[in-house]
Amino acid sequence: MIFQIVAVFVTDTEFGYVRPEFETKKERTEYLETVARKNLFAIDGAAIEAGDKLLTLSTCCTLYGKNETGDQRLVVAAKLLPTAAEEAPYAVQDAKFPELPENK
């Protein structure tokens, strides 16, 4: 299996990134828009589309927390590429203004 990283972001635990369930297209669109706003990197050619299977990895993060409450997560989201996909080069740049968690 080949996965393509589509987002890396820091969020608080209030954002439902773990197992997003979408009852409507609007909910899925809102989720993807939130991920795009939070994404720390602009990854050339990386986009999440309807029907993509996502792999989400996360770990605790205190990068933006003054009180080290443990309610922040560093999240890496990747999509499963089709069986015939091959590894390909891509460009990654820092995002200009990613949405970060509040510094609590």
Side-chain angles (χ1 to χ4, degrees):
M1 289 191 273
I2 298 176
F3 287 86
Q4 177 185 29
I5 295 174
V6 292
V8 177
F9 59 94
V10 177
T11 189
D12 54 37
T13 54
E14 293 176 15
F15 177 53
Y17 68 90
V18 175
R19 192 179 295 219
E21 295 183 20
F22 312 109
E23 292 185 19
T24 66
K25 286 183 180 182
K26 181 181 178 191
E27 287 177 353
R28 181 178 176 86
T29 299
E30 288 172 353
Y31 171 81
L32 296 177
E33 287 172 352
T34 301
V35 169
R37 284 193 315 271
K38 293 176 176 289
N39 200 352
L40 297 172
F41 302 105
I43 304 170
D44 183 38
I48 304 171
E49 299 178 13
D52 284 345
K53 294 188 184 224
L54 301 177
L55 170 68
T56 304
L57 308 170
S58 70
T59 189
C60 297
C61 176
T62 58
L63 188 60
Y64 299 100
K66 290 180 185 176
N67 299 327
E68 297 187 17
T69 59
D71 66 348
Q72 294 180 351
R73 301 292 182 266
L74 173 66
V75 181
V76 177
K79 71 176 183 178
L80 179 63
L81 296 180
T83 307
E86 296 182 14
E87 292 183 47
Y90 57 90
V92 178
Q93 298 176 2
D94 290 339
K96 292 185 180 182
F97 302 103
E99 181 180 291
L100 300 172
E102 290 184 32
N103 197 351
K104 298 177 185 178

